[in-house]
Short mmCIF file of all heavy atoms in Angstrom, two decimals:
data_model
loop_
_atom_site.label_atom_id
_atom_site.label_comp_id
_atom_site.label_asym_id
_atom_site.label_seq_id
_atom_site.Cartn_x
_atom_site.Cartn_y
_atom_site.Cartn_z
N THR J 237 13.43 1.07 8.82
CA THR J 237 13.56 -0.39 8.96
C THR J 237 13.20 -1.14 7.68
O THR J 237 13.28 -2.36 7.65
CB THR J 237 12.65 -0.89 10.10
OG1 THR J 237 11.30 -0.49 9.83
CG2 THR J 237 13.10 -0.32 11.44
N ASN J 238 12.83 -0.42 6.62
CA ASN J 238 12.45 -1.06 5.36
C ASN J 238 13.70 -1.33 4.51
O ASN J 238 13.79 -0.95 3.35
CB ASN J 238 11.46 -0.18 4.59
CG ASN J 238 12.02 1.19 4.23
OD1 ASN J 238 12.71 1.80 5.04
ND2 ASN J 238 11.70 1.69 3.04
N PHE J 239 14.68 -2.00 5.12
CA PHE J 239 15.97 -2.18 4.49
C PHE J 239 15.89 -2.87 3.12
O PHE J 239 16.65 -2.55 2.21
CB PHE J 239 16.90 -2.98 5.41
CG PHE J 239 17.14 -2.32 6.74
CD1 PHE J 239 16.76 -2.95 7.92
CD2 PHE J 239 17.75 -1.08 6.81
CE1 PHE J 239 16.99 -2.34 9.15
CE2 PHE J 239 17.98 -0.46 8.03
CZ PHE J 239 17.60 -1.10 9.21
N ALA J 240 14.98 -3.79 2.97
CA ALA J 240 14.87 -4.52 1.70
C ALA J 240 14.51 -3.60 0.54
O ALA J 240 14.87 -3.88 -0.61
CB ALA J 240 13.84 -5.64 1.82
N ASP J 241 13.84 -2.48 0.84
CA ASP J 241 13.42 -1.57 -0.22
C ASP J 241 14.60 -0.86 -0.89
O ASP J 241 14.51 -0.45 -2.05
CB ASP J 241 12.45 -0.52 0.32
CG ASP J 241 11.10 -1.09 0.70
OD1 ASP J 241 10.80 -2.22 0.25
OD2 ASP J 241 10.35 -0.42 1.43
N PHE J 242 15.69 -0.68 -0.14
CA PHE J 242 16.82 0.05 -0.72
C PHE J 242 18.15 -0.71 -0.61
O PHE J 242 19.22 -0.13 -0.77
CB PHE J 242 16.94 1.45 -0.10
CG PHE J 242 17.13 1.49 1.40
CD1 PHE J 242 18.39 1.67 1.94
CD2 PHE J 242 16.05 1.41 2.26
CE1 PHE J 242 18.58 1.74 3.31
CE2 PHE J 242 16.22 1.48 3.63
CZ PHE J 242 17.48 1.65 4.17
N ALA J 243 18.06 -2.02 -0.40
CA ALA J 243 19.27 -2.83 -0.24
C ALA J 243 20.12 -2.87 -1.50
O ALA J 243 21.34 -3.07 -1.43
CB ALA J 243 18.89 -4.26 0.18
N ALA J 244 19.51 -2.68 -2.66
CA ALA J 244 20.26 -2.77 -3.92
C ALA J 244 20.96 -1.46 -4.29
O ALA J 244 21.75 -1.42 -5.24
CB ALA J 244 19.33 -3.18 -5.05
N ILE J 245 20.69 -0.39 -3.56
CA ILE J 245 21.30 0.91 -3.86
C ILE J 245 22.68 0.98 -3.23
O ILE J 245 22.82 0.78 -2.01
CB ILE J 245 20.42 2.06 -3.33
CG1 ILE J 245 19.06 2.04 -4.01
CG2 ILE J 245 21.11 3.40 -3.53
CD1 ILE J 245 18.07 3.04 -3.45
N PRO J 246 23.73 1.24 -4.00
CA PRO J 246 25.07 1.37 -3.41
C PRO J 246 25.12 2.53 -2.41
O PRO J 246 24.72 3.65 -2.72
CB PRO J 246 25.97 1.66 -4.62
CG PRO J 246 25.20 1.14 -5.80
CD PRO J 246 23.76 1.37 -5.47
N ILE J 247 25.60 2.24 -1.21
CA ILE J 247 25.67 3.23 -0.14
C ILE J 247 27.06 3.22 0.46
O ILE J 247 27.61 2.16 0.76
CB ILE J 247 24.64 2.93 0.97
CG1 ILE J 247 23.20 3.02 0.43
CG2 ILE J 247 24.81 3.90 2.15
CD1 ILE J 247 22.15 2.57 1.43
N TRP J 248 27.65 4.41 0.60
CA TRP J 248 28.89 4.55 1.36
C TRP J 248 28.55 5.37 2.59
O TRP J 248 28.23 6.55 2.50
CB TRP J 248 29.97 5.23 0.52
CG TRP J 248 31.30 5.32 1.23
CD1 TRP J 248 31.63 4.82 2.46
CD2 TRP J 248 32.48 5.98 0.74
NE1 TRP J 248 32.93 5.12 2.77
CE2 TRP J 248 33.48 5.83 1.74
CE3 TRP J 248 32.78 6.67 -0.43
CZ2 TRP J 248 34.77 6.35 1.60
CZ3 TRP J 248 34.06 7.19 -0.57
CH2 TRP J 248 35.04 7.03 0.42
N PHE J 249 28.62 4.73 3.73
CA PHE J 249 28.20 5.29 5.01
C PHE J 249 29.46 5.56 5.84
O PHE J 249 30.25 4.67 6.09
CB PHE J 249 27.27 4.28 5.68
CG PHE J 249 26.86 4.56 7.09
CD1 PHE J 249 26.78 5.86 7.59
CD2 PHE J 249 26.52 3.51 7.94
CE1 PHE J 249 26.39 6.11 8.89
CE2 PHE J 249 26.11 3.75 9.24
CZ PHE J 249 26.05 5.04 9.71
N ALA J 250 29.65 6.82 6.25
CA ALA J 250 30.83 7.19 7.04
C ALA J 250 30.42 7.87 8.33
O ALA J 250 29.50 8.69 8.35
CB ALA J 250 31.73 8.12 6.23
N THR J 251 31.11 7.53 9.41
CA THR J 251 30.83 8.16 10.69
C THR J 251 32.08 8.12 11.56
O THR J 251 33.04 7.41 11.26
CB THR J 251 29.64 7.47 11.40
OG1 THR J 251 29.20 8.28 12.49
CG2 THR J 251 30.02 6.09 11.89
#
Side-chain angles (χ1 to χ4, degrees):
T237 57
N238 60 321
F239 300 119
D241 291 343
F242 59 99
I245 298 174
I247 297 172
W248 183 4
F249 172 29
T251 193

